[in-house]
Amino acid sequence: MSKTLIAPSILAADFARLGEEVRAVQAAGADWLHVDVMDGHFVPNITIGPDVVKALRPHVTIPIDVHLMITPADPFLDAFRDAGADILSVHPEAGPHLNRTLRHIRKIGAKAGVVFNPSTDPDVIEYMMDDVDLVLVMSVNPGFGGQSFMTSQLKKIEKLRAMIDASGKDIQLEVDGGVTALTAPQCIAAGATALVAGSAVFKGGADAYAANIRALRGA
Ligand code: DX5
Ligand code: ZN
């Protein structure tokens, strides 16, 4: 069993010191950097755009995992890719042609991800496993960090694990929202291969980040 990938969400970092914060989590063992992009329309909060990804890119060498909570997403894919995003994930509700969006993401050289809200049925990707590199299960309603993990989503993780295994494809299964040292083992047991965590990583100051990340891996 390969090690669980940890993707700290910068939503919980100190926005006034973002460069320093991302260097600190990379040094602490982060595998990916998770960037939550919100438009105040698809979700009830506003965060950041491609310029911030571009500003952070030189500060880390790990992949930048961009979670787009925006609609429409299509007009912004190239800008995030040009800014240095390695993974671009979209919600199926964000546009009328999910498959076209996923193919475009791959065409511009990024990994293509699909994100499921707590109420979204993952069957939407049943016929496009060939075009997906990552699936992301939201274990909170998207929009804010620091919410409680919804155990109802464990079944969805299990379902996606089975779908991925049946496909035989190399697809990451990531979980996002309320992931802590207590909920991480449940996600891993259900089949997750990557965990997003904001509050659970960016707590206790930079000296604590390595221990926080280790605790999520269950090490
Ligand atoms: C929520 C975001 C998450 C969130 C995770 O919309 O997608 O990435 O920031 O934060 P925690 O780990 O604090 O739940
Ligand atoms: Zn996210």
PDB file of all heavy atoms in Angstrom, residues 183-207:
ATOM      1  N   THR A 183     -10.517  11.608  11.511  1.00  0.00           N
ATOM      2  CA  THR A 183     -11.309  11.181  10.346  1.00  0.00           C
ATOM      3  C   THR A 183     -10.445  10.619   9.213  1.00  0.00           C
ATOM      4  O   THR A 183     -10.947   9.853   8.388  1.00  0.00           O
ATOM      5  CB  THR A 183     -12.182  12.343   9.811  1.00  0.00           C
ATOM      6  OG1 THR A 183     -11.327  13.453   9.506  1.00  0.00           O
ATOM      7  CG2 THR A 183     -13.209  12.777  10.837  1.00  0.00           C
ATOM      8  N   ALA A 184      -9.161  10.987   9.185  1.00  0.00           N
ATOM      9  CA  ALA A 184      -8.284  10.499   8.115  1.00  0.00           C
ATOM     10  C   ALA A 184      -8.259   8.964   8.027  1.00  0.00           C
ATOM     11  O   ALA A 184      -8.373   8.408   6.915  1.00  0.00           O
ATOM     12  CB  ALA A 184      -6.867  11.056   8.283  1.00  0.00           C
ATOM     13  N   PRO A 185      -8.118   8.244   9.160  1.00  0.00           N
ATOM     14  CA  PRO A 185      -8.076   6.779   9.044  1.00  0.00           C
ATOM     15  C   PRO A 185      -9.348   6.191   8.436  1.00  0.00           C
ATOM     16  O   PRO A 185      -9.284   5.174   7.719  1.00  0.00           O
ATOM     17  CB  PRO A 185      -7.924   6.313  10.505  1.00  0.00           C
ATOM     18  CG  PRO A 185      -7.376   7.494  11.241  1.00  0.00           C
ATOM     19  CD  PRO A 185      -7.912   8.703  10.547  1.00  0.00           C
ATOM     20  N   GLN A 186     -10.492   6.849   8.683  1.00  0.00           N
ATOM     21  CA  GLN A 186     -11.746   6.362   8.095  1.00  0.00           C
ATOM     22  C   GLN A 186     -11.721   6.542   6.573  1.00  0.00           C
ATOM     23  O   GLN A 186     -12.186   5.676   5.832  1.00  0.00           O
ATOM     24  CB  GLN A 186     -12.939   7.136   8.676  1.00  0.00           C
ATOM     25  CG  GLN A 186     -13.135   6.955  10.166  1.00  0.00           C
ATOM     26  CD  GLN A 186     -14.239   7.870  10.688  1.00  0.00           C
ATOM     27  OE1 GLN A 186     -13.995   8.978  11.139  1.00  0.00           O
ATOM     28  NE2 GLN A 186     -15.459   7.409  10.613  1.00  0.00           N
ATOM     29  N   CYS A 187     -11.171   7.669   6.138  1.00  0.00           N
ATOM     30  CA  CYS A 187     -11.078   7.928   4.685  1.00  0.00           C
ATOM     31  C   CYS A 187     -10.146   6.916   4.032  1.00  0.00           C
ATOM     32  O   CYS A 187     -10.437   6.386   2.952  1.00  0.00           O
ATOM     33  CB  CYS A 187     -10.547   9.336   4.425  1.00  0.00           C
ATOM     34  SG  CYS A 187     -11.585  10.652   5.073  1.00  0.00           S
ATOM     35  N   ILE A 188      -9.019   6.671   4.688  1.00  0.00           N
ATOM     36  CA  ILE A 188      -8.026   5.747   4.131  1.00  0.00           C
ATOM     37  C   ILE A 188      -8.610   4.327   4.083  1.00  0.00           C
ATOM     38  O   ILE A 188      -8.487   3.620   3.079  1.00  0.00           O
ATOM     39  CB  ILE A 188      -6.714   5.801   4.948  1.00  0.00           C
ATOM     40  CG1 ILE A 188      -6.081   7.198   4.818  1.00  0.00           C
ATOM     41  CG2 ILE A 188      -5.735   4.724   4.487  1.00  0.00           C
ATOM     42  CD1 ILE A 188      -4.979   7.489   5.834  1.00  0.00           C
ATOM     43  N   ALA A 189      -9.310   3.952   5.152  1.00  0.00           N
ATOM     44  CA  ALA A 189      -9.922   2.612   5.189  1.00  0.00           C
ATOM     45  C   ALA A 189     -10.967   2.461   4.085  1.00  0.00           C
ATOM     46  O   ALA A 189     -11.157   1.377   3.529  1.00  0.00           O
ATOM     47  CB  ALA A 189     -10.550   2.364   6.559  1.00  0.00           C
ATOM     48  N   ALA A 190     -11.647   3.563   3.748  1.00  0.00           N
ATOM     49  CA  ALA A 190     -12.679   3.511   2.704  1.00  0.00           C
ATOM     50  C   ALA A 190     -12.069   3.507   1.303  1.00  0.00           C
ATOM     51  O   ALA A 190     -12.769   3.265   0.321  1.00  0.00           O
ATOM     52  CB  ALA A 190     -13.638   4.684   2.866  1.00  0.00           C
ATOM     53  N   GLY A 191     -10.754   3.812   1.225  1.00  0.00           N
ATOM     54  CA  GLY A 191     -10.098   3.713  -0.079  1.00  0.00           C
ATOM     55  C   GLY A 191      -9.466   4.977  -0.606  1.00  0.00           C
ATOM     56  O   GLY A 191      -9.008   5.014  -1.745  1.00  0.00           O
ATOM     57  N   ALA A 192      -9.437   6.032   0.212  1.00  0.00           N
ATOM     58  CA  ALA A 192      -8.824   7.287  -0.245  1.00  0.00           C
ATOM     59  C   ALA A 192      -7.318   7.114  -0.410  1.00  0.00           C
ATOM     60  O   ALA A 192      -6.677   6.391   0.365  1.00  0.00           O
ATOM     61  CB  ALA A 192      -9.106   8.405   0.755  1.00  0.00           C
ATOM     62  N   THR A 193      -6.763   7.811  -1.417  1.00  0.00           N
ATOM     63  CA  THR A 193      -5.315   7.794  -1.615  1.00  0.00           C
ATOM     64  C   THR A 193      -4.693   9.164  -1.364  1.00  0.00           C
ATOM     65  O   THR A 193      -3.471   9.286  -1.293  1.00  0.00           O
ATOM     66  CB  THR A 193      -4.960   7.368  -3.058  1.00  0.00           C
ATOM     67  OG1 THR A 193      -5.628   8.246  -3.986  1.00  0.00           O
ATOM     68  CG2 THR A 193      -5.381   5.941  -3.324  1.00  0.00           C
ATOM     69  N   ALA A 194      -5.531  10.203  -1.273  1.00  0.00           N
ATOM     70  CA  ALA A 194      -5.033  11.561  -1.040  1.00  0.00           C
ATOM     71  C   ALA A 194      -6.019  12.298  -0.132  1.00  0.00           C
ATOM     72  O   ALA A 194      -7.233  12.126  -0.263  1.00  0.00           O
ATOM     73  CB  ALA A 194      -4.886  12.306  -2.360  1.00  0.00           C
ATOM     74  N   LEU A 195      -5.472  13.091   0.782  1.00  0.00           N
ATOM     75  CA  LEU A 195      -6.312  13.813   1.744  1.00  0.00           C
ATOM     76  C   LEU A 195      -5.988  15.296   1.709  1.00  0.00           C
ATOM     77  O   LEU A 195      -4.824  15.686   1.831  1.00  0.00           O
ATOM     78  CB  LEU A 195      -6.059  13.290   3.165  1.00  0.00           C
ATOM     79  CG  LEU A 195      -6.306  11.801   3.408  1.00  0.00           C
ATOM     80  CD1 LEU A 195      -5.867  11.414   4.824  1.00  0.00           C
ATOM     81  CD2 LEU A 195      -7.786  11.447   3.191  1.00  0.00           C
ATOM     82  N   VAL A 196      -7.044  16.108   1.578  1.00  0.00           N
ATOM     83  CA  VAL A 196      -6.889  17.560   1.695  1.00  0.00           C
ATOM     84  C   VAL A 196      -7.128  17.911   3.157  1.00  0.00           C
ATOM     85  O   VAL A 196      -8.047  17.384   3.774  1.00  0.00           O
ATOM     86  CB  VAL A 196      -7.942  18.294   0.832  1.00  0.00           C
ATOM     87  CG1 VAL A 196      -7.865  19.804   1.052  1.00  0.00           C
ATOM     88  CG2 VAL A 196      -7.775  17.951  -0.637  1.00  0.00           C
ATOM     89  N   ALA A 197      -6.308  18.798   3.699  1.00  0.00           N
ATOM     90  CA  ALA A 197      -6.579  19.264   5.057  1.00  0.00           C
ATOM     91  C   ALA A 197      -6.095  20.698   5.199  1.00  0.00           C
ATOM     92  O   ALA A 197      -4.959  21.014   4.837  1.00  0.00           O
ATOM     93  CB  ALA A 197      -5.899  18.364   6.080  1.00  0.00           C
ATOM     94  N   GLY A 198      -6.986  21.546   5.679  1.00  0.00           N
ATOM     95  CA  GLY A 198      -6.645  22.942   5.929  1.00  0.00           C
ATOM     96  C   GLY A 198      -6.343  23.145   7.397  1.00  0.00           C
ATOM     97  O   GLY A 198      -5.184  23.203   7.816  1.00  0.00           O
ATOM     98  N   SER A 199      -7.402  23.205   8.189  1.00  0.00           N
ATOM     99  CA  SER A 199      -7.252  23.479   9.629  1.00  0.00           C
ATOM    100  C   SER A 199      -6.327  22.495  10.328  1.00  0.00           C
ATOM    101  O   SER A 199      -5.573  22.874  11.222  1.00  0.00           O
ATOM    102  CB  SER A 199      -8.614  23.429  10.327  1.00  0.00           C
ATOM    103  OG  SER A 199      -9.645  23.781   9.469  1.00  0.00           O
ATOM    104  N   ALA A 200      -6.399  21.225   9.934  1.00  0.00           N
ATOM    105  CA  ALA A 200      -5.609  20.208  10.639  1.00  0.00           C
ATOM    106  C   ALA A 200      -4.113  20.311  10.350  1.00  0.00           C
ATOM    107  O   ALA A 200      -3.296  19.796  11.114  1.00  0.00           O
ATOM    108  CB  ALA A 200      -6.115  18.808  10.273  1.00  0.00           C
ATOM    109  N   VAL A 201      -3.747  20.983   9.248  1.00  0.00           N
ATOM    110  CA  VAL A 201      -2.318  21.156   8.939  1.00  0.00           C
ATOM    111  C   VAL A 201      -1.807  22.493   9.452  1.00  0.00           C
ATOM    112  O   VAL A 201      -0.792  22.566  10.148  1.00  0.00           O
ATOM    113  CB  VAL A 201      -2.047  21.036   7.419  1.00  0.00           C
ATOM    114  CG1 VAL A 201      -0.618  21.462   7.097  1.00  0.00           C
ATOM    115  CG2 VAL A 201      -2.274  19.607   6.946  1.00  0.00           C
ATOM    116  N   PHE A 202      -2.561  23.570   9.131  1.00  0.00           N
ATOM    117  CA  PHE A 202      -2.087  24.915   9.475  1.00  0.00           C
ATOM    118  C   PHE A 202      -2.516  25.299  10.887  1.00  0.00           C
ATOM    119  O   PHE A 202      -3.226  26.287  11.081  1.00  0.00           O
ATOM    120  CB  PHE A 202      -2.605  25.927   8.451  1.00  0.00           C
ATOM    121  CG  PHE A 202      -1.957  25.815   7.103  1.00  0.00           C
ATOM    122  CD1 PHE A 202      -2.574  25.112   6.074  1.00  0.00           C
ATOM    123  CD2 PHE A 202      -0.724  26.401   6.848  1.00  0.00           C
ATOM    124  CE1 PHE A 202      -1.980  25.008   4.812  1.00  0.00           C
ATOM    125  CE2 PHE A 202      -0.118  26.303   5.597  1.00  0.00           C
ATOM    126  CZ  PHE A 202      -0.750  25.605   4.583  1.00  0.00           C
ATOM    127  N   LYS A 203      -2.129  24.515  11.851  1.00  0.00           N
ATOM    128  CA  LYS A 203      -2.427  24.873  13.245  1.00  0.00           C
ATOM    129  C   LYS A 203      -1.151  24.723  14.068  1.00  0.00           C
ATOM    130  O   LYS A 203      -0.289  23.913  13.738  1.00  0.00           O
ATOM    131  CB  LYS A 203      -3.552  23.988  13.809  1.00  0.00           C
ATOM    132  CG  LYS A 203      -3.198  22.519  13.873  1.00  0.00           C
ATOM    133  CD  LYS A 203      -4.270  21.692  14.572  1.00  0.00           C
ATOM    134  CE  LYS A 203      -3.809  20.251  14.704  1.00  0.00           C
ATOM    135  NZ  LYS A 203      -4.804  19.335  15.235  1.00  0.00           N
ATOM    136  N   GLY A 204      -1.047  25.536  15.073  1.00  0.00           N
ATOM    137  CA  GLY A 204       0.089  25.415  15.994  1.00  0.00           C
ATOM    138  C   GLY A 204       1.373  26.065  15.508  1.00  0.00           C
ATOM    139  O   GLY A 204       2.434  25.847  16.102  1.00  0.00           O
ATOM    140  N   GLY A 205       1.304  26.816  14.399  1.00  0.00           N
ATOM    141  CA  GLY A 205       2.520  27.462  13.896  1.00  0.00           C
ATOM    142  C   GLY A 205       3.355  26.509  13.059  1.00  0.00           C
ATOM    143  O   GLY A 205       3.194  25.285  13.125  1.00  0.00           O
ATOM    144  N   ALA A 206       4.282  27.084  12.266  1.00  0.00           N
ATOM    145  CA  ALA A 206       5.046  26.301  11.286  1.00  0.00           C
ATOM    146  C   ALA A 206       5.804  25.129  11.916  1.00  0.00           C
ATOM    147  O   ALA A 206       5.981  24.092  11.276  1.00  0.00           O
ATOM    148  CB  ALA A 206       6.007  27.215  10.531  1.00  0.00           C
ATOM    149  N   ASP A 207       6.209  25.272  13.154  1.00  0.00           N
ATOM    150  CA  ASP A 207       6.948  24.186  13.805  1.00  0.00           C
ATOM    151  C   ASP A 207       6.099  22.929  13.979  1.00  0.00           C
ATOM    152  O   ASP A 207       6.639  21.831  14.151  1.00  0.00           O
ATOM    153  CB  ASP A 207       7.449  24.629  15.192  1.00  0.00           C
ATOM    154  CG  ASP A 207       8.570  25.642  15.077  1.00  0.00           C
ATOM    155  OD1 ASP A 207       9.104  25.809  13.958  1.00  0.00           O
ATOM    156  OD2 ASP A 207       8.892  26.288  16.103  1.00  0.00           O
TER     157      ASP A 207
END
